Amino acid sequence: MLGLHGAGIARSFLAGAQAWLRGSCSRPLALARAVGAPRAGDGQPASRPGAPGRRLSLSAAAVVNSAPRPLQPYLRLMRLDKPIGTWLLYLPCTWSISLAAEPGCFPDWYLLSLFGTGAVLMRGAGCTINDMWDQDYDKKVTRTANRPIAAGDISTFQSFVFLGGQLTLALGVLLCLNYYSIALGAASLLLVITYPLMKRITYWPQLALGLTFNWGALLGWSAVQGSCDPSVCLPLYFSGVMWTLIYDTIYAHQDKRDDALLGLKSTALRFRENTKQWLSGFGVAMLGALSLAGVSCDQTAPYYAALVAVGAHLAHQIYTLDIHRPEDCWDKFTSNRTVGLLIFVGIVLGNLCKEKKTEDTKKNTDGRVAN
């Protein structure tokens, strides 16, 4: 009996000690949170000081969060923590650079890297202009209220100076191209500045974005060939515009309630419950234009196989889309990087097959001449 009583006292003492330890550990943690220390869910693992090694993350958001604190608002203003927009701007450039390559050759890696740098800078400049125009609206929308200008992390003057720096660097990239491409690239600046205003004017701001975001479909070809071939560049540009109407309409469904309250317009509000029918039409037009561009470039089987895969991807994307769930809209929107990469890979492989076809043709021709 005494043993049982003693064991009960020991258990009570042990439980009390554990409770005291938990409380003493939680007080410093609460204090640390109160003064702004990052929580485990804020991008850093929960670990004791001196614990062996942090987990490393190469995600864009983690890289931005690990940057010096004064730089972070500017990196977020460029949306470097959300690189999907940069991909969607860059991929049409890769299509045209690859289509313009010599038969049997890989695309020019120097131009691909140059356009990649330009895409980062111009997407950042576009986002800066957008946030400068929309700061009063962004403050009223939950999803955008923490953007640097709306949140007061960067002043309008600071963002204007930062915009000038981005455009200056982008001009340096543009000056690496031929004169035709320099003029063509400079012509896109008006679109870059004005497209953020379209949501106040028309229910088709996604069309204005498409005209802006796919300028690289013209510029990439001219950077390689010295001028634009309308039979290739115009269908390619048109296909990119249709693609933008697909993914940005999906994106706009995330904000349609807030947009309606604020008096802003979008294709999401224009199409409403008919969105899937419109997106299907845009998808058919996109694939048709890409096929026409391929015919004009004498593309081969891998290119058309890639278009079949793209068609299947778009069909699944549109069929399974739930326009009333913002999370699903975001997932479908980001999946469009796969669409762009499929087209790029199809163009490269199709172009490499041209070499084999050319060699076979030469052998057949030589054989007929010998006979």
Side-chain angles (χ1 to χ4, degrees), residues 184-198:
L184 185 63
S188 70
L189 191 58
L190 182 62
L191 288 170
V192 174
I193 293 172
T194 57
Y195 87 80
L197 295 174
M198 293 299 106

Side-chain angles (χ1 to χ4, degrees), residues 198-211:
M198 293 299 106
K199 67 185 75 172
R200 298 164 171 80
I201 300 170
T202 175
Y203 279 101
W204 292 85
Q206 281 67 32
L207 178 59
L209 179 66
L211 295 172

Side-chain angles (χ1 to χ4, degrees), residues 93-117:
C93 304
T94 69
W95 303 347
S96 58
I97 292 171
S98 303
L99 280 174
E102 290 296 320
C105 297
F106 283 100
D108 189 317
W109 297 109
Y110 171 72
L111 284 178
L112 287 176
S113 60
L114 199 65
F115 273 72
T117 303

Side-chain angles (χ1 to χ4, degrees), residues 290-308:
L290 286 171
S291 299
L292 182 57
V295 170
S296 299
C297 284
D298 296 322
Q299 270 292 342
T300 55
Y303 175 77
Y304 297 104
L307 294 191
V308 171

Side-chain angles (χ1 to χ4, degrees), residues 134-164:
D134 288 354
Q135 55 183 299
D136 292 333
Y137 292 107
D138 287 344
K139 294 174 183 177
K140 301 173 184 177
V141 178
T142 302
R143 190 178 63 82
T144 59
N146 63 345
R147 287 179 175 174
I149 300 176
D153 297 331
I154 299 177
S155 69
T156 302
F157 176 74
Q158 288 173 319
S159 61
F160 186 78
V161 172
F162 184 56
L163 172 63

Side-chain angles (χ1 to χ4, degrees), residues 65-260:
N65 289 336
S66 65
R69 190 171 296 276
L71 290 180
Q72 290 184 21
Y74 294 96
L75 300 181
R76 290 199 302 274
L77 183 60
M78 294 179 70
R79 307 287 197 276
L80 288 186
D81 55 330
K82 297 176 181 177
I84 179 61
T86 304
W87 277 107
L88 297 176
L89 176 62
Y90 175 54
L91 285 165
C93 304
T94 69
W95 303 347
S96 58
I97 292 171
S98 303
L99 280 174
E102 290 296 320
C105 297
F106 283 100
D108 189 317
W109 297 109
Y110 171 72
L111 284 178
L112 287 176
S113 60
L114 199 65
F115 273 72
T117 303
V120 172
L121 292 169
M122 288 307 297
R123 194 256 178 148
C127 290
T128 302
I129 294 170
N130 180 78
D131 288 6
M132 290 170 67
W133 284 122
D134 288 354
Q135 55 183 299
D136 292 333
Y137 292 107
D138 287 344
K139 294 174 183 177
K140 301 173 184 177
V141 178
T142 302
R143 190 178 63 82
T144 59
N146 63 345
R147 287 179 175 174
I149 300 176
D153 297 331
I154 299 177
S155 69
T156 302
F157 176 74
Q158 288 173 319
S159 61
F160 186 78
V161 172
F162 184 56
L163 172 63
Q166 293 175 88
L167 291 176
T168 300
L169 292 173
L171 177 61
V173 172
L174 186 62
L175 292 176
C176 295
L177 306 179
N178 56 59
Y179 290 122
Y180 184 98
S181 300
I182 291 172
L184 185 63
S188 70
L189 191 58
L190 182 62
L191 288 170
V192 174
I193 293 172
T194 57
Y195 87 80
L197 295 174
M198 293 299 106
K199 67 185 75 172
R200 298 164 171 80
I201 300 170
T202 175
Y203 279 101
W204 292 85
Q206 281 67 32
L207 178 59
L209 179 66
L211 295 172
T212 307
F213 250 49
N214 294 282
W215 203 257
L218 307 175
L219 195 57
W221 181 280
S222 72
V224 177
Q225 299 289 346
S227 63
C228 284
D229 181 350
S231 67
V232 178
C233 294
L234 291 183
L236 192 65
Y237 183 54
F238 178 79
S239 69
V241 173
M242 294 297 102
W243 183 40
T244 303
L245 281 168
I246 294 171
Y247 65 67
D248 206 55
T249 297
I250 293 172
Y251 182 89
H253 271 285
Q254 297 177 101
D255 299 329
K256 58 189 174 186
R257 293 184 180 85
D258 291 320
D259 287 346

